[in-house]
Amino acid sequence: MKNKNIILAYSGGLDTSFCIKYLSIEESWNVHAVTVNTGGFTSSELEIMGAKALSLGAKTFQSVDTVDAYYEQCIKFLIYGNVLRNNTYPLSVSAERMFQALEIAKYAGTINAQAIAHGSTGAGNDQVRFDLVFQVMCPGIEIITPIRDHCFSRQEEVAYLQKH
């Protein structure tokens, strides 16, 4: 199938940068990199992130702003409740992944994506959060996780990016 469209949950880090190259070269996907801004990015950082994604071979880059929804529906309750894991660690990161996954799932429908990808390595809980949301919100859309599926090491990712 030509012109296969895949949405990549893109953070701009090593794993998702590797995924752009790998998915476009090895799997012949049209990679649409999407960053979900829950806060913390300046407009210039998002511009740099977008330029990087496009230079790596992404067909498009999109930044989706969900700062207000993330605060109104989640963060303010964590702050009000002083919700901490082990009395030290804010639970905002795990909650943030859910908001990111929901926005990625919504975006996938806007471009008729055949698949959604993320750069989770299989080592943490983020993979479960992304997979669960994608399975529920996008039934029938394939979930692709190159790093987890092929057990790529960080050294292999770096070497691949250097080669390409």
Side-chain angles (χ1 to χ4, degrees), residues 37-137:
N37 185 7
T38 56
F41 292 119
T42 65
S43 58
S44 63
E45 289 170 328
L46 290 170
E47 285 178 28
I48 291 167
M49 191 181 292
K52 179 181 175 184
L54 295 173
S55 73
L56 287 165
K59 183 175 176 84
T60 64
F61 171 79
Q62 181 68 40
S63 173
V64 178
D65 186 314
T66 189
V67 173
D68 292 340
Y70 181 47
Y71 176 79
E72 287 298 323
Q73 298 171 24
C74 182
I75 292 297
K76 76 177 183 183
F77 299 108
L78 294 175
I79 293 169
Y80 294 162
N82 194 29
V83 179
L84 303 172
R85 187 178 90 209
N86 298 330
N87 292 322
T88 58
Y89 182 76
L91 294 180
S92 58
V93 173
S94 59
E96 178 184 34
R97 295 296 181 258
M98 298 303 287
F99 279 77
Q100 291 169 331
L102 287 166
E103 290 298 327
I104 296 292
K106 285 186 220 172
Y107 191 80
T110 68
I111 68 156
N112 194 29
Q114 288 79 43
I116 300 175
H118 60 84
S120 295
T121 63
N125 292 328
D126 285 346
Q127 65 183 326
V128 176
R129 294 178 185 107
F130 281 117
D131 288 353
L132 180 64
V133 170
F134 299 155
Q135 288 168 2
V136 171
M137 299 296 293

Side-chain angles (χ1 to χ4, degrees), residues 1-8 19-20 22-33 57-60 108 111-117 141-142 144:
M1 173 196 276
K2 289 191 177 219
N3 299 323
K4 303 183 304 180
N5 290 315
I6 189 168
I7 302 295
L8 172 65
C19 286
I20 289 175
Y22 182 84
L23 291 167
S24 61
I25 293 172
E26 306 299 330
E27 304 292 332
S28 301
W29 286 100
N30 291 323
V31 179
H32 300 271
K59 183 175 176 84
T60 64
I111 68 156
N112 194 29
Q114 288 79 43
I116 300 175
I141 292 182
E142 184 179 5
I144 298 176

